[in-house]
Amino acid sequence: VRLAILGELSLQPKQTVWDIGAGTGSVSIEIARLCPTSQVFAIEKTSMGSSLITQNSQRFQVDNLTSLNGKAPDVLRDLPNCDRVFIGGSGGNIVEILDTCSQKLNPAGIVVMSFATIEYQIQAIDWLSQNSWQYKLLQLQISRSTPIGHLTRMTPLNPVTIITALLPENR
């Protein structure tokens, strides 16, 4: 899933990237490692998560990642404008986060979102449609093998839907 997200972001050198709902920072750290000339901001609402992001940044020796503890969209207003946004968690504020991203995203900007629930996915699609953004959906379903006696079956994990959205040109 992480590789698909990174691919959808179409990262370039010297970009400003936001990772909203960064969790432990796995996506942020991968972006920082892939694009050492970019500035990455990992936004996480839990202090434990923010602390883990800082620890993981040090462990993987990335110095172009800033961990911010706070709730989106509030913490986003003080950040520099961005070129790419990954929304891995919204805390139920997907509409407000997209409103802020719309204001702070540079031309040719891309927003990539991942969803495990249908309701937040629908809210995002409704917002994108109402604001004339182009978007596409990619759903990933991964299964793992499980032994059953001397046989093996595949046990599916929950699907993840990735939405990639492009900033409207006439904004």
Side-chain angles (χ1 to χ4, degrees), residues 46-108:
T46 68
S47 57
M48 182 185 292
S50 293
S51 177
L52 284 171
I53 293 167
T54 300
Q55 290 173 23
N56 289 333
S57 296
Q58 293 166 353
R59 184 171 147 221
F60 289 100
Q61 301 176 344
V62 294
D63 58 4
N64 58 330
L65 190 152
T66 303
S67 177
L68 300 168
N69 180 222
K71 194 169 181 180
D74 300 335
V75 71
L76 305 176
R77 293 182 182 105
D78 296 328
L79 292 180
N81 286 2
C82 58
D83 303 290
R84 299 290 187 268
V85 177
F86 171 59
I87 304 172
S90 68
N93 296 322
I94 191 66
V95 169
E96 295 83 359
I97 291 170
L98 288 170
D99 284 339
T100 302
C101 289
S102 179
Q103 296 167 11
K104 301 213 49 159
L105 195 62
N106 290 328

Side-chain angles (χ1 to χ4, degrees), residues 20-21 71-73 76 85-102 111-115 117-128 131 163 165:
I20 302 168
K71 194 169 181 180
L76 305 176
V85 177
F86 171 59
I87 304 172
S90 68
N93 296 322
I94 191 66
V95 169
E96 295 83 359
I97 291 170
L98 288 170
D99 284 339
T100 302
C101 289
S102 179
V111 175
V112 175
M113 300 166 268
S114 67
F115 296 97
T117 65
I118 296 169
E119 289 79 8
Y120 291 150
Q121 179 182 325
I122 291 170
Q123 287 180 19
I125 290 169
D126 286 347
W127 187 94
L128 294 168
N131 289 278
I163 300 176

